[in-house]
Amino acid sequence: MMNGMIAAVTALVGEETQRAKENHSEKYASMHEGHGVLAEEIWEAAEETRKVEGYRTCLIDAVHEENKAKLAITLCGLEDRAVREACECIQEAAVARKMREGL
C-alpha cells in the first residue's frame, strides 16, 4: 500500500518540479534563492499542519458530543486541510528536487 502511494507522490513531485521550471526558471539563480523558496514552502506546510490540528480538536469534541452534523463538517474541513498540507509537502519536495537538479 505505502509503496504505491510513495510512487504516486513521487510522480506528483516530478509534475510539480516541471511546472515550477516552466512557470519560473529551469533552475534557481543561486542556492540562496532556492533556500528562500524552500523555507517559504516549509512555513506554509507548517501553517496547514496547525490548521489540521485545529480540526483534530474539533473532532474530539464532536465525537464526545456524538454530533453527526458537527462530525461531518469537521471531517470535511479536516480532509480539505490535510490535502492542502500534502500539497505543500509536495511543493517542498519539488523545490528540493529543483535545487538538486540545478547543482
Side-chain angles (χ1 to χ4, degrees):
M1 163 76 179
M2 191 64 140
N3 287 341
M5 192 178 303
I6 289 170
V9 171
T10 300
L12 289 172
V13 170
E15 292 173 21
E16 181 61 23
T17 304
Q18 189 59 39
R19 193 169 20 258
K21 288 177 178 180
E22 289 169 3
N23 292 336
H24 302 288
S25 63
E26 188 66 24
K27 64 182 195 172
Y28 294 107
S30 67
M31 286 295 121
H32 292 286
E33 178 190 18
H35 178 264
V37 174
L38 184 57
E40 181 180 357
E41 294 303 337
I42 291 168
W43 181 84
E44 289 172 352
E47 283 296 301
E48 291 300 337
T49 299
R50 281 189 278 283
K51 291 173 183 174
V52 167
E53 280 296 315
Y55 276 105
R56 189 184 65 81
T57 302
C58 292
L59 180 62
I60 291 168
D61 293 341
V63 167
H64 287 296
E65 294 168 12
E66 297 181 13
N67 183 332
K68 287 188 179 184
K70 188 174 183 179
L71 271 168
I73 291 168
T74 301
L75 290 168
C76 184
L78 194 149
E79 179 182 350
D80 176 66
R81 284 296 158 191
V83 167
R84 290 172 183 274
E85 178 183 25
C87 290
E88 292 297 344
C89 290
I90 288 168
Q91 288 179 326
E92 285 179 44
V95 171
R97 183 180 290 184
K98 185 176 170 183
M99 288 176 73
R100 180 178 47 83
E101 290 177 355
L103 289 174

